[in-house]
């Protein structure tokens, strides 16, 4: 997946490197056609107490994409962050539990050795891949009318910021991270242009990660920086592989909005369009927050 | 769960009846603390080629609610419809794969005997339950201003309609099912008042089912009735058990809207408020459609 013009692998490709450690046809405890992969957390995508959630989602998708029995392209992915990954090696299990004529259903998990050496589940997931055919199509959420990327300044990650922020070029349009934490927030809508940094041709894995780049809505809504972390994210992929190729290393317009903040959890809706205005993915997540 | 005033169980409670068939502490192939339950499809919730998707989601949640190791109340639920359930018995597996201090992560599946007698996965799911504490809270999607339920006529299911429709009282406000299939559709927004029929005090299971009552958005958007079926649904629960009790057997205002219809699949966002304007749940799904 290294683009022809780059001399060394993109950090995203380094982070997503998975080595198959089980035969596809090893009908073991994990079930028929279980794929087992070894990977490792990447310091370039480190968040506060574990990897950036988007890279974890992308890693799970990568396991599916590498699986020899895969049918079709990603349609939906749900990732549940059960516990933070520790820095180091992990195992991904990807099982195509049911393959239909044009859809395939996956269950996945990430495991790490716990304190006593026994494997501990850090992440669970399900996914659907599908063979898609051209049909009647229409978008019902048009891309907001905003000025092009060049007319918005790229954010510079503040010193001391978490490392993964430097893996993305973000050009805030509206609702960016508050400058002062004075409790003055009154909405939860963020819009920004964004892409991998350095630029990298878009694919399903990077699209999945981009669905999770938004800072916690509760920070914006309250103008208060409370501890927060994603519990579960779902991504629906609308783009075909050709539409991703056509997007190339261009910008995506990302939009995120909170719906309900209640008793320690809020939910967020996300839309991602390419510069041509094609909706590539929609996403949702439920996020823990403190106080 | 039968209300004191009803002489016989509500059909929803009949449909959700699960019998535990494995010891909680049977550390077998399905993993630690796997719950195994036997249930059966209910003719009262039959759709076209299988049960109403909402009753399947509610059944999975019911398995969690009956599990002796459960921590907290439902926070999120994702259900993937891998294949239609046949009429008859099924097995639900519910495994609390990781229990944290205040959250618990579940993987679930429904199995039925296939043609050769071997178990076949019809449905996969993940869920998170959580112990919630009171925090700063705010709604960012206020309930639309609409006339109260009594001012909207209850829909009468047309003859020949699928059976589960008669399990719900629906009072359309806007964007209801087209009267003529003439290709004239121009939006995908539906709003309606709804509740179980006969009325039944709201709980997490009935709330999960209500998140799936909306007819396929593609029918409204196109004013064309093409084959369609949910592939994956996610429900985020915002309500506490007390808020559900306060809602009682009152109406919910349900709102559904499609976002993107592309190459055989569209996604839908859903919000559910009670009559007092409290957001009880938000939901999303990705739906197959033909042509």
């Amino acid at each position: 997946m290294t683009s022809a013009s780059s001399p060394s692998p993109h950090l995203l490709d380094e982070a997503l490197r998975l080595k198959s450690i089980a035969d596809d046809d090893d009908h073991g405890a994990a079930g028929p056609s279980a794929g087992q992969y070894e990977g490792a957390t990447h310091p370039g995508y480190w968040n506060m107490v574990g990897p950036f959630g988007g890279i974890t989602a992308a890693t799970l998708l990568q396991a599916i994409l590498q699986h020899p029995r895969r049918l079709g392209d990603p349609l939906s992915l749900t990732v549940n962050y059960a516990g933070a990954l520790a820095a180091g090696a992990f195992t991904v299990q990807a099982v195509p539990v049911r393959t239909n004529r044009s859809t395939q259903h996956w269950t996945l998990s990430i495991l790490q050795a716990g304190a006593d050496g026994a494997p501990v589940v850090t992440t669970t997931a399900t996914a659907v891949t599908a063979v898609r055919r051209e049909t009647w199509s229409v978008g019902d959420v048009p891309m907001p009318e905003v000025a092009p990327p060049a007319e918005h300044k790229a954010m510079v990650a503040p010193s001391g910021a978490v490392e993964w922020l430097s893996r993305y070029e973000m050009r805030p349009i509206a609702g960016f991270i508050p400058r002062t934490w004075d409790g003055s927030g009154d909405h939860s809508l963020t819009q920004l242009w964004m892409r991998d940094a350095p630029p990298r041709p878009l694919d399903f894995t990077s699209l999945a990660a981009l669905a999770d780049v938004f800072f916690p809505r509760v920070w914006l809504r309250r103008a208060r920086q409370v501890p927060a972390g994603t519990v579960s994210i779902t991504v629906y992929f609308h783009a075909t592989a050709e539409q991703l190729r056509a997007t190339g290393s261009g910008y995506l317009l990302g939009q995120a909005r909170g719906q309900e903040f209640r008793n320690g959890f809020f939910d967020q809706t996300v839309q991602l369009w390419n510069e041509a205005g094609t909706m590539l993915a929609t996403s949702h997540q439920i996020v823990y927050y403190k106080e």
Side-chain angles (χ1 to χ4, degrees), chain A residues 117-130:
Chain A
V120 171
V121 174
T122 66
T123 321
T124 66
T126 59
V128 182
T129 53

Side-chain angles (χ1 to χ4, degrees), chain A residues 20 36-37 43-44 63-64 79 82 91 118 146 164 187 200 237 244 251 285-286:
Chain A
S20 176
Q36 293 229 30
Y37 302 90
I64 291 173
V79 179
T91 303
V146 300
W164 72 267
H187 73 92
R200 174 183 178 279
F237 300 92
L244 297 183
Y251 293 89
Q285 57 179 268
I286 186 122

